[in-house]
Amino acid sequence: DADVTQTPRNRITKTGKRIMLECSQTKGHDRMYWYRQDPGLGLRLIYYSFDVKDINKGEISDGYSVSRQAQAKFSLSLESAIPNQTALYFCATSDSSRRATDTQYFGPGTRLTVL
Amino acid sequence: QKEVEQNSGPLSVPEGAIASLNCTYSDRVSQSFFWYRQYSGKSPELIMSIYSNGDKEDGRFTAQLNKASQYVSLLIRDSQPSDSATYLCAVPKNEKLTFGTGTRLTIIP
């Protein structure tokens, strides 16, 4: 079984709709991250959480919100989707208790299309 | 100046040759560096990490770090068609990772 899972894997929605992307992990890591990836722009950090009570904005948080329901679950919401939020979204985790705290492990991604 | 810079490519290398991928970074205090491989439509996968100046070898992969010149490179020996992918360089800053935009590598059979 995959250590980091994302649901849904693909989603097509319309402008103005509310969308939630979910991420779950069984790695026991305390840190979780949401990225989006666009062609030519690489991976950009949307939000990150170092533990259940610690949530921080990344470089492109406008139009997004998150919820850390438990150590293993981190959800990303688009309150009112717009076409330029069409992208590939990745969840990632890392473990602050290990020496290599910066090593991140990625989920399989969610391809979101906003029409 | 971008924090992490990579040549976007595409870089084409004949099968069996050495592929050389480069990355430069702007923060002199960076201590660790990562190379991720990403196949088209898939998630990034960590393939190498390096913390000290010099070379680190793992199978056909060698990471090279030069902190004085602020660059890190990845060499792939005996390149295989399965090595065709985008390679992302990542550098930690403030307990987060900053990624380069990636170099697309194509191995030509």
Side-chain angles (χ1 to χ4, degrees):
Chain A
D1 289 339
D3 295 323
V4 185
T5 57
Q6 293 183 234
T7 56
R9 296 293 312 279
N10 287 282
R11 181 71 183 268
I12 300 173
T13 191
K14 294 182 179 180
T15 297
K17 294 292 188 181
R18 184 178 188 274
I19 295 297
M20 179 180 285
L21 308 183
E22 298 186 338
C23 177
S24 295
Q25 52 113 348
T26 58
K27 299 180 78 67
H29 290 175
D30 53 339
R31 298 182 172 188
M32 299 186 74
Y33 311 80
W34 275 105
Y35 294 90
R36 67 176 279 175
Q37 188 174 40
D38 302 272
L41 295 179
L43 284 162
R44 293 183 292 167
L45 185 62
I46 306 172
Y47 270 96
Y48 61 102
S49 171
F50 284 171
D51 66 40
V52 175
K53 296 183 180 179
D54 178 55
I55 293 179
N56 305 280
K57 293 182 177 181
E59 59 181 297
I60 54 162
S61 59
D62 287 349
Y64 302 95
S65 63
V66 291
S67 174
R68 184 86 183 263
Q69 301 96 324
Q71 186 183 44
K73 296 184 181 294
F74 193 33
S75 299
L76 176 71
S77 294
L78 289 68
E79 297 301 326
S80 180
I82 56 177
N84 76 1
Q85 291 177 314
T86 294
L88 190 53
Y89 289 83
F90 289 106
C91 174
T93 72
S94 68
D95 183 355
S96 67
S97 68
R98 295 174 61 88
R99 177 177 179 268
T101 61
D102 301 312
T103 303
Q104 293 186 14
Y105 300 87
F106 285 80
T110 294
R111 184 168 296 281
L112 177 65
T113 302
V114 183
L115 302 176
Chain B
Q1 181 185 6
K2 291 183 179 179
E3 293 184 57
V4 181
E5 292 203 61
Q6 297 181 254
N7 187 323
S8 62
L11 175 66
S12 296
V13 174
E15 183 175 356
I18 297 175
S20 177
L21 305 162
N22 298 311
C23 171
T24 59
Y25 59 94
S26 61
D27 190 349
R28 286 192 166 274
V29 302
S30 297
Q31 295 295 314
S32 52
F33 306 86
F34 303 89
W35 282 102
Y36 284 80
R37 178 178 62 198
Q38 186 177 23
Y39 293 115
S40 181
K42 303 297 185 182
S43 58
E45 172 193 13
L46 180 68
I47 54 171
M48 290 287 285
S49 58
I50 187 166
Y51 303 93
S52 303
N53 268 334
D55 295 359
K56 178 182 177 182
E57 187 175 317
D58 184 0
R60 295 185 298 110
F61 298 96
T62 299
Q64 298 176 319
L65 174 60
N66 184 322
K67 291 186 177 181
S69 300
Q70 295 177 239
Y71 81 80
V72 57
S73 60
L74 179 69
L75 302 179
I76 307 175
R77 291 184 301 281
D78 188 23
S79 297
Q80 303 296 310
S82 61
D83 296 325
S84 295
T86 296
Y87 290 80
L88 305 171
C89 174
V91 180
K93 183 174 182 179
N94 298 327
E95 299 188 86
K96 304 184 296 293
L97 282 181
T98 299
F99 288 85
T101 53
T103 298
R104 185 157 57 94
L105 174 66
T106 300
I107 305 301
I108 303 169

